[in-house]
Amino acid sequence: MSNQNQGIVMAFIAMLMLRLSLTDEYLLFVKAAMRPWLITAGAVLALLAVTTFYRRPAATAEHGDGHAHGGPRLAFLLALPFAAVFVVTPAPLGAFAAARQTPRTPPPPSQTAGYVYPALLPPVNGAYEMGLTDFIARSLYDDKHQMAGKPIRLTGFVTPALNGSGFRLTRFVISCCAADGTPVYVDVRTIRSPAADTWVVVEGMWSPASSGAAAETPVLTAKSIRVIPQPSDPYEG
């Protein structure tokens, strides 16, 4: 690949990285802590693109540019996948991916005997709001059952239930980026289920009896379901 081709491709990649990292769209791919690194990498790559584009090889300087007429056209073809992201908004991991992966079970919080879960945070607008990972962990390991009999509010997207009854409220947990994402989900008992991939806020009740002492998938009996736009940061972790 000629220097001109390399420069054009690197310029498109740099613009893509800077565009994503200077908006919230980067959260569809990586954790929030990665933003400074993305901005730095995009700026460095943009500088390299400029220097590469204007650096001419010795053969070109001596024999002319006749052999490189197709260079820019080839470079733009190579850059098309990156340019497409500017036109089409990417989507985060959703129901299709969740249905094809083994769900993640949060590990016990501590191996120390006598561990006691901290008290729930104060309710917000009449319900105790928490992430799916925290909700699942408390349902499995909180011996005091602090959530029992309390209104709980959870946010996630809809994955169809295997038995057709209700749905699975799902989020992906990431360690670094979407490539390592694994799903966590809660079974929601309700008469009507929204469409797959719909983002919802569910308020309902949990009880040890509804999930069972050894159940790895807790159950929330829905009292209300509210459809919301996709959050800017769709992942947990």
Side-chain angles (χ1 to χ4, degrees):
M1 184 185 296
S2 68
N3 290 341
Q4 192 177 42
N5 287 350
Q6 292 176 357
I8 292 174
V9 173
M10 284 195 293
F12 269 99
I13 298 174
M15 287 189 294
L16 175 60
M17 293 178 67
L18 290 172
R19 175 187 178 251
L20 294 176
S21 58
L22 294 175
T23 65
D24 286 338
E25 287 188 11
Y26 80 102
L27 294 171
L28 301 177
F29 303 97
V30 297
K31 298 183 72 169
M34 299 294 291
R35 172 179 256 172
W37 299 104
L38 288 176
I39 295 175
T40 301
V44 171
L45 194 58
L47 180 60
L48 288 174
V50 173
T51 57
T52 301
F53 186 85
Y54 288 105
R55 188 179 71 246
R56 301 181 65 190
T60 301
E62 292 177 4
H63 303 294
D65 296 336
H67 64 284
H69 286 167
R73 183 177 300 176
L74 174 62
F76 282 115
L77 290 176
L78 293 172
L80 279 177
F82 304 101
V85 180
F86 285 86
V87 181
V88 180
T89 302
L93 296 172
F96 181 85
R100 286 157 178 78
Q101 292 190 38
T102 301
R104 177 179 182 271
T105 301
S110 174
Q111 300 299 322
T112 304
Y115 176 85
V116 177
Y117 260 91
L120 297 173
L121 295 176
V124 177
N125 296 327
Y128 293 84
E129 197 164 21
M130 62 185 68
L132 262 63
T133 304
D134 185 29
F135 175 80
I136 295 169
R138 284 178 177 272
S139 71
L140 294 175
Y141 309 120
D142 184 4
D143 294 335
K144 293 186 177 297
H145 303 312
Q146 297 181 62
M147 298 189 302
K150 295 183 174 65
I152 304 296
R153 182 184 298 122
L154 303 174
T155 300
F157 63 86
V158 174
T159 300
L162 298 179
N163 57 9
S165 176
F167 62 92
R168 286 180 165 175
L169 188 69
T170 311
R171 294 290 286 265
F172 272 87
V173 178
I174 64 173
S175 299
C176 172
C177 59
D180 63 36
T182 54
V184 292
Y185 53 72
V186 172
D187 284 336
V188 176
R189 287 180 179 169
T190 182
I191 298 175
R192 294 184 178 180
S193 300
D197 285 319
T198 303
W199 280 85
V200 294
V201 174
V202 180
E203 293 187 15
M205 306 293 286
W206 171 86
S207 68
S210 67
S211 296
E216 293 186 355
T217 304
V219 176
L220 189 71
T221 301
K223 299 297 183 183
S224 68
I225 300 174
R226 176 166 52 91
V227 176
I228 61 170
Q230 176 188 297
S232 58
D233 187 357
Y235 303 120
E236 290 189 4

